[in-house]
Amino acid sequence: MHWDKIELSNYPPQLTYQDVLTLFQDFTISPDFVLPNVKNLAYPLRTFIRIAGEQEAERAVQELCWSKVGGRQINVRMVEETGHQEMEVAVADVADEMKIGIVNTARVYNPHLTTKILEVRECMQGTANFAFLQARDPVTVSSKPEAHMLSTDDKAKWELVMAGRSEGWNWKMKDGSGRLAALKDLQDTLQRQGIMRKLWGQWEGSSALDMH
């Protein structure tokens, strides 16, 4: 049987495997598609589905594109067969958007970071994914002389602001879920700590010398 690949995108993050089967119930699709396993993800991912026959794939595009699922207009289009490259690109796109959101969240809840350079870095150790938000002072005319000296190994002194983590078995991370979950954990931690810091600042115990 010849399979043609289509791309399903702009779907709500709560979309389930069964939802996809229901959506394509009038078509013969391969059951081996994968949905990102990230709960409450703010940005929708792209999922690639194989449909039996080019005509059926084209019909799916015509009938399902821009239909509403979970309050969103989904996008369905034909794609070329390129293995896992599409998913990798999709994950990278979402990760970049999440990093922008993390930096913006950090500046909202931490005014002292508005003048600093912020950057999100990722690393993986074993089955764990880590996302680190780090900050450093920009080099200005008034900076110390040593700050203007170019490092031979291209390094800078960063300050750790906050970190996020996710852990799972390798087979669960092939779709990028582990990476995105770590970024999501970092953003959630920033928001949670920011809210608590604000409440702490309004609490009388944050300025009183003796609460007794």
Side-chain angles (χ1 to χ4, degrees):
M1 183 179 293
H2 175 73
W3 298 93
D4 280 79
K5 184 179 288 188
I6 63 169
E7 175 193 277
L8 172 64
S9 63
N10 202 43
Y11 51 82
Q14 296 82 15
L15 190 75
T16 66
Y17 186 91
Q18 186 57 48
D19 290 334
V20 176
L21 294 179
T22 301
L23 180 65
F24 289 91
Q25 60 184 347
D26 294 332
F27 305 90
T28 302
I29 67 173
S30 174
D32 62 355
F33 62 88
V34 177
L35 287 172
N37 186 25
V38 182
K39 295 182 179 179
N40 301 319
L41 186 64
Y43 305 98
L45 284 177
R46 293 180 288 184
T47 296
F48 299 92
I49 300 170
R50 293 188 297 164
I51 294 186
E54 183 178 357
Q55 290 184 342
E56 285 294 278
E58 291 176 349
R59 184 168 71 88
V61 171
Q62 293 175 358
E63 294 183 7
L64 299 179
C65 190
W66 307 125
S67 57
K68 279 200 171 183
V69 174
R72 290 188 179 179
Q73 282 189 319
I74 61 171
N75 187 16
V76 182
R77 71 179 185 90
M78 301 284 294
V79 294
E80 295 181 359
E81 181 71 41
T82 56
H84 296 286
Q85 183 177 0
E86 299 96 338
M87 180 59 72
E88 293 175 358
V89 171
V91 170
D93 288 345
V94 174
D96 288 342
E97 289 187 58
M98 292 184 72
K99 288 179 182 180
I100 294 173
I102 288 169
V103 169
N104 290 338
T105 299
R107 295 192 190 282
V108 168
Y109 287 110
N110 302 273
H112 68 283
L113 296 176
T114 55
T115 60
K116 293 182 178 287
I117 296 174
L118 300 180
E119 188 169 297
V120 178
R121 291 284 180 88
E122 303 170 77
C123 76
M124 182 175 175
Q125 290 187 354
T127 60
N129 284 264
F130 296 89
F132 299 102
L133 175 64
Q134 52 192 28
R136 67 179 175 87
D137 293 318
V139 178
T140 64
V141 175
S142 58
S143 297
K144 295 180 179 179
E146 54 266 26
H148 293 271
M149 298 178 62
L150 296 177
S151 173
T152 56
D153 51 3
D154 195 25
K155 290 185 177 180
K157 186 175 181 180
W158 292 91
E159 168 194 355
L160 176 64
V161 178
M162 212 154 290
R165 171 181 174 164
S166 74
E167 188 162 358
W169 300 109
N170 287 332
W171 69 268
K172 289 185 176 180
M173 301 190 305
K174 289 181 179 179
D175 62 352
S177 297
R179 176 187 181 187
L180 297 179
L183 290 169
K184 184 69 169 56
D185 183 55
L186 171 55
Q187 187 166 32
D188 289 346
T189 302
L190 278 168
Q191 291 176 331
R192 185 168 56 252
Q193 292 294 326
I195 292 172
M196 289 191 290
R197 186 179 291 110
K198 183 178 180 180
L199 291 174
W200 175 79
Q202 297 171 347
W203 173 55
E204 61 176 345
S206 66
S207 57
L209 291 176
D210 191 351
M211 289 291 292
H212 300 290

